[in-house]
């Protein structure tokens, strides 16, 4: 479970509020809430539009991931 997670979750990137064909954004929001309750570092980014692979937002996803790894890696 989330309580036993020993490593930081580097990011939760989500393609869109309503457009992700694979995972409902509410699942990402629930995970972020659980990580907050457990005091685990995380970042939730909700992207408007695009697909599950985040291809429209790839440059931002890459920059955020690299920044996360600089801070927590």
């Amino acid at each position: 479970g989330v309580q036993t997670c020993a490593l930081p979750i580097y990011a939760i990137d989500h393609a869109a509020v309503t457009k992700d064909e694979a995972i409902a954004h509410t699942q990402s929001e629930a995970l972020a809430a659980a990580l907050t309750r457990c005091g685990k570092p995380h970042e939730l980014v909700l992207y408007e539009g695009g697909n599950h692979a985040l291809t429209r937002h790839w440059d931002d996803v890459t920059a955020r991931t690299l920044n996360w790894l600089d801070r927590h890696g």
Side-chain angles (χ1 to χ4, degrees):
V2 173
Q3 290 85 357
T4 61
C5 180
L7 298 174
I9 304 296
Y10 77 89
I12 306 168
D13 295 307
H14 200 278
V17 173
T18 59
K19 305 250 190 276
D20 192 323
E21 69 281 0
I23 299 172
H25 68 91
T26 54
Q27 292 179 355
S28 296
E29 291 168 336
L31 176 57
L35 291 168
T36 297
R37 285 191 302 276
C38 294
K40 299 295 181 179
H42 64 283
E43 180 178 346
L44 173 63
V45 179
L46 295 175
Y47 293 101
E48 198 63 47
N51 59 18
H52 185 71
L54 298 167
T55 52
R56 276 182 52 189
H57 308 286
W58 194 247
D59 289 342
D60 187 62
V61 170
T62 301
R64 288 176 180 274
T65 300
L66 292 173
N67 182 275
W68 177 271
L69 291 173
D70 283 344
R71 291 181 287 135
H72 300 283

